[in-house]
Amino acid sequence: MVSDQGMDARTYAVREILKDGGSINIRAIRPDDKGRLVDHFQHMSQRSVYFRFFGAKKRLTEDELRRFTEPDFVRHVALVATLCIGGEEQIIGVGRFMALEPPEGGDEASSPSRAEVAFAVADDHQGRGIGTVLLEHLVPLARANGITEFQADVLGENNQMLEVFANSGFVARQSIEAGVVRVTFPTEETEEFMQASDTRDRMAASRSVRGILEPRAVAVIGASRTPGSIGHRLVANLRAGGFTGPIYPVNPGATEIEGLRAYPTVTAIGAPVDLAVIAVPAAAVETVVQDCAGAGVRGVVVISAGFAETSAAGREAEARLTSLVRGSGMRMVGPNCMGILNTAPEVSLNATFAPTWPPPGNIGMLSQSGALGLAVLDYARSLNVGLSSFVSVGNKADVSGNDLLCYWAEDPHTRVIVLYLESFGNPRKFARIAPDVARQKPIVAVKSGRSAAGTRAASSHSAALANLDVAVDALFEQAGVIRTDTLEQLFDVAALLATQPVPAGPRVGVVTNAGGPGILVADACEAHGLSLPELTPASQARLREILPAQAAVTNPVDMIASATAEQFEKCVAIVGDDPNIDSVVAIFIPVDEAQIEPVVAALGAGAGRVPPDKPVIAVFIAARAAPDRLHGGARGRLPVYRFPEDAALALAAAHRYGRWRCRPRGTMQSLDRFAYTAVRAVVDRVLAAADGPVWVGPADLATMLWAAGIRFAPGQLTTVAEAPAAAEWLGYPLVVKAVAPGLVHKSDVGGVVLGLESAAEVRDAVAALDARMIAAGLPLEGVLLQREVRGGIEALVGVTTDPTFGPLLVCGLGGVLVELVRDVSFRLTPVTDVDAAEMLDRLRARKLLDGYRGAPPGDKDALISAIMRVSALVAAVPEVLELDLNPVKVLAPGQGAIVVDGRMRIAPVRARPAPGWEPEGATDRF
């Protein structure tokens, strides 16, 4: 979640989607809003005015207008919800809070800082959730300005406003006096508030996409009579696909296209239009979208290219277009896309210029590349892989993958979600949405650009170990997304999950008529976390009854080349029924053409007898194409693979997904109020004295770590001259470390001396450090004396901040070799205890923590706790750029983990809006 720290209400501007799918802009009120506010007030009914002002009121006075539009944005903050109507920005809702004076007999120090909150929504827009959205944005602004409690006085008959507070997720208290209900609640976020907010956000996004993918009427702007042109193919595809609603070609130079009446503009149609597909030159798109806004179009798909993908001028044009779309309450796919399709029979929408219409199915697919989308649709048809819907998002200026995830999560026609991605824009939002979606429906993704590793210079181990692809892997692992390396693997996995149940475990049973492929699939399974256990004696006995003596009946079951179709059917059924088996792979190499049809039928029949909770897949190794009509009776179509390794990879991916889906969600660590206050005091003081990014001093870092519950080796920052006296106060044994500007890795320049047992040894060590720093050109500013922590396993816990993904938490085996060995794992913050444990399990050297070859084990629970507390620290300090705790000495079980060296770099953060929402004009893409 986004922190309140650094939030400036004066610059607040965000876009929101409402529960009916329409969009609005929310921004800070401005002095030039006086006229808009008067217009807003005059269009409110007397009932609405009565509810807002508790009485009749005919106009706003000049003094009221000044106070309402010129708040101080500290004690008085006001936000407006706006829409662009008729080319003019109009206020359709206002929300504000005004700080209250302390109660009589109280004072600001002893009383919570309280504010009155109030809303006014235009009558035509009531019931859309605008009041709820304004409240969600006012709450973090209030917290950032020290307001701890909201109070609202609501007339008892104002049920709509009372419902807003009741459904907010806050624990509200109510009292009634003279027909007025006083609602009071703390502004501190609750789990219920975040859940309510996320639910509202996702339902709104789903509804907005539904208006695009399930339109009742479609207009094609730029429709053409020229065969082969994009404008012609769009109309032809809509007709050929059997779209169930009216189609309106728009072309000012034509009266008829493809047998349909053409119109000069969208407004000239004179009938409701849900979706407009735009294929005109880029320079004309903005004018066309303005016409769509005037006609009440809900969504647009902009096929036209020539925007952000081409030049700086194109980026500016795209920004204007996006602002126009959002300000008008519409949604937009594109620009620079190939269109959308929906194979649901009640819609049957093909709003693409692709030559291929894929078979109907249950896979929802996003492609970031339009050209690749064409190939994907053709490939899906060749494999007979059915799609429920397909969206080419293009430049993702508005509708994003996050929006589509929300839609597909609720779409009854979609069982599997497939993503082809080239870039991320809002991975934090993806990290919140995807896990909930993935627990319902598998998400399979291929992300291009693995070689685009981060190249920026790194000043800490944590930063040096991270790159963009590491962040993507961490995000996908936490979110339960199945990542594949190639498009072929993407379809292999999707075909399995679209037709078969998720395997309950890793145990695979193999039935084959050739020993070689059986060995190959066994090797591939073992290499990817699956196993081939022996079948039970009962199953082996049943197999021996139907197979020749030369056959192998353990696992894999090698029926030998002479196997008949009847033997295939029975063996698949027997192996699938074995209690030691979670899934079945049937491999068939035709000996002659006459075998193919009978064996294909037999495989389907045998699969139909396998318990329905176990997946069955087939491998068809032959020169001719694999059959696309292999069905397993009531279980439906079976996926067919060309090679054994492909089947094993797909099955392993499905197993990992099933294991993730069954894992507990875990719990997160957060700082208590005392710790939070202590940490913030240090950060605010350090940044107040700095101009830009700054490294936190050792003493301040120790204070922050101790406040967060992270043990730090006791130490004293001192001078060269005073070091011996400080050593006597600290006690022995001691370590002395150099403190110098620009010194990153102390050990590289001999900046650490261990094992000091006396003041004399400390004096000598300090003198040696001074000489070494002078030789290295790093003047010694001071020395840090620390109690030496002996023994233990050295670990690394750190944080680096990616400009796209935000804070990345890293852990691994520490010490000076960490960058050489690179045995580390990453997660996006915040992490749960389950995430932290999985981070350790991903390490190759994790056995050291368990006690390797008689070596003493480490306190794994303490290291997990340290990881979680670092995550909590980052949540409290969004200013963190880099954090290195290396080494962390992991002591014997029960003795904890102690940080013996650390560095933290922080910088001020820009103004940020409420959790989960993006700045106006920015994208919400992933």
Side-chain angles (χ1 to χ4, degrees), residues 366-692:
L366 173 152
S367 175
Q368 194 169 336
S369 166
L372 187 66
L374 294 171
V376 162
L377 291 180
D378 186 60
Y379 189 53
R381 185 167 188 83
S382 69
L383 295 177
N384 198 28
V385 173
L387 302 183
S388 59
S389 51
F390 171 88
V391 179
S392 166
V393 292
N395 292 0
K396 301 181 297 183
D398 182 40
V399 169
S400 69
N402 291 328
D403 295 317
L404 291 166
L405 283 182
C406 295
Y407 170 79
W408 281 319
E410 296 184 355
D411 179 32
H413 298 289
T414 299
R415 175 173 169 174
V416 178
I417 299 168
V418 167
L419 310 172
Y420 169 75
L421 304 174
E422 294 176 348
S423 65
F424 276 88
N426 196 341
R428 291 275 155 182
K429 191 167 187 177
F430 180 89
R432 294 199 310 276
I433 295 172
D436 287 341
V437 176
R439 290 185 186 277
Q440 307 171 51
K441 302 177 180 182
I443 304 171
V444 189
V446 59
K447 166 68 175 67
S448 62
R450 277 189 180 271
S451 61
T455 57
R456 66 184 179 89
S459 53
S460 68
H461 294 296
S462 302
L465 292 164
N467 59 52
L468 179 61
D469 203 58
V470 160
V472 174
D473 273 338
L475 173 61
F476 284 172
E477 282 198 43
Q478 282 172 275
V481 175
I482 303 167
R483 184 176 189 179
T484 65
D485 293 325
T486 65
L487 280 172
E488 185 176 18
Q489 292 175 8
L490 183 85
F491 276 97
D492 284 346
V493 176
L496 188 157
L497 293 169
T499 59
Q500 300 298 304
V502 177
R507 303 171 302 175
V508 181
V510 178
V511 176
T512 178
N513 68 336
I519 296 171
L520 288 175
V521 78
D523 289 344
C525 284
E526 295 284 353
H528 291 92
L530 304 177
S531 63
L532 271 71
E534 281 198 13
L535 303 177
T536 63
S539 295
Q540 293 186 40
R542 292 171 62 191
L543 290 169
R544 287 193 186 97
E545 291 177 1
I546 60 173
L547 293 176
Q550 304 95 312
V553 295
T554 52
N555 191 19
V557 175
D558 181 5
M559 301 180 298
I560 69 174
S562 60
T564 65
E566 181 182 9
Q567 288 171 331
F568 256 110
E569 176 181 350
K570 291 181 178 179
C571 287
V572 167
I574 291 170
V575 172
D577 193 46
D578 191 288
N580 290 345
I581 298 301
D582 299 310
S583 55
V584 179
V585 178
I587 305 173
F588 173 48
I589 299 181
V591 176
D592 60 62
E593 288 286 324
Q595 268 192 311
I596 295 175
E597 294 299 328
V599 170
V600 165
L603 284 176
R609 295 164 56 186
V610 174
D613 61 336
K614 297 182 180 183
V616 180
I617 62 178
V619 177
F620 188 94
I621 306 176
R624 56 170 279 184
D628 59 8
R629 62 188 189 284
L630 183 52
H631 287 267
R635 71 163 56 232
R637 181 175 174 270
L638 304 183
V640 181
Y641 300 91
R642 293 293 305 274
F643 299 105
E645 296 87 348
D646 298 336
L649 283 170
L651 202 55
H655 163 62
R656 288 194 300 272
Y657 164 70
R659 189 173 57 193
W660 175 89
R661 195 169 66 173
C662 292
R663 76 170 196 162
R665 291 178 180 266
T667 57
M668 294 181 186
Q669 183 90 34
S670 60
L671 301 186
D672 61 33
R673 187 170 294 278
F674 173 80
Y676 178 86
T677 301
V679 167
R680 288 303 320 171
V682 173
V683 172
D684 294 341
R685 173 173 50 77
V686 171
L687 287 178
D691 183 17

Side-chain angles (χ1 to χ4, degrees), residues 305-371:
F307 290 91
E309 78 282 2
T310 59
S311 64
R315 287 192 292 273
E316 292 175 3
E318 184 172 303
R320 290 195 307 271
L321 177 63
T322 305
S323 180
L324 172 61
V325 167
R326 292 178 170 181
S328 302
M330 297 187 291
R331 300 303 310 269
M332 173 176 67
V333 174
N336 184 35
C337 72
M338 60 164 284
I340 63 175
L341 61 82
N342 186 344
T343 66
E346 64 269 24
V347 181
S348 199
L349 171 75
N350 184 2
T352 74
F353 55 84
T356 303
W357 172 255
N362 56 15
I363 298 175
M365 183 169 187
L366 173 152
S367 175
Q368 194 169 336
S369 166

Side-chain angles (χ1 to χ4, degrees), residues 257-316:
I257 296 175
E258 280 284 302
L260 300 170
R261 177 187 171 185
Y263 298 84
T265 63
V266 176
T267 51
I269 294 171
V273 175
D274 290 326
L275 176 66
V277 184
I278 300 172
V280 300
V285 171
E286 196 170 337
T287 300
V288 166
V289 171
Q290 287 175 338
D291 183 46
C292 291
V297 174
R298 295 184 64 187
V300 295
V301 174
V302 180
I303 306 293
S304 313
F307 290 91
E309 78 282 2
T310 59
S311 64
R315 287 192 292 273
E316 292 175 3

Side-chain angles (χ1 to χ4, degrees), residues 22 50 171 205 283 393 450 497 634 754 785 794 861:
Y50 174 70
V171 181
V393 292
R450 277 189 180 271
L497 293 169
L754 304 172
L785 292 175
E794 291 192 343
D861 291 340

Side-chain angles (χ1 to χ4, degrees), residues 620-826:
F620 188 94
I621 306 176
R624 56 170 279 184
D628 59 8
R629 62 188 189 284
L630 183 52
H631 287 267
R635 71 163 56 232
R637 181 175 174 270
L638 304 183
V640 181
Y641 300 91
R642 293 293 305 274
F643 299 105
E645 296 87 348
D646 298 336
L649 283 170
L651 202 55
H655 163 62
R656 288 194 300 272
Y657 164 70
R659 189 173 57 193
W660 175 89
R661 195 169 66 173
C662 292
R663 76 170 196 162
R665 291 178 180 266
T667 57
M668 294 181 186
Q669 183 90 34
S670 60
L671 301 186
D672 61 33
R673 187 170 294 278
F674 173 80
Y676 178 86
T677 301
V679 167
R680 288 303 320 171
V682 173
V683 172
D684 294 341
R685 173 173 50 77
V686 171
L687 287 178
D691 183 17
V694 59
W695 288 99
V696 176
D700 284 334
L701 177 59
T703 299
M704 295 170 68
L705 293 178
W706 277 105
I710 301 167
R711 293 175 64 188
F712 194 76
Q716 176 73 43
L717 184 63
T718 185
T719 64
V720 172
E722 296 174 352
E728 291 296 312
W729 178 80
L730 276 173
Y732 300 97
L734 286 175
V735 178
V736 64
K737 301 177 181 179
V739 177
L743 179 57
V744 177
H745 304 312
K746 303 179 186 68
S747 57
D748 291 351
V749 292
V752 179
V753 181
L754 304 172
L756 305 177
E757 298 284 359
S758 68
E761 291 183 7
V762 169
R763 186 179 299 106
D764 293 342
V766 169
L769 286 183
D770 195 17
R772 291 171 192 167
M773 294 303 103
I774 291 172
L778 297 169
L780 198 64
E781 286 187 343
V783 293
L784 176 65
L785 292 175
Q786 274 186 309
R787 289 289 298 272
E788 184 173 358
V789 180
R790 293 178 172 174
I793 300 167
E794 291 192 343
L796 160 75
V797 179
V799 174
T800 182
T801 303
D802 181 89
T804 299
F805 287 77
L808 283 170
L809 200 152
V810 57
C811 82
L813 272 296
V816 296
L817 299 179
V818 62
E819 290 179 38
L820 177 64
V821 178
R822 302 186 73 85
D823 186 15
V824 294
S825 59
F826 287 84

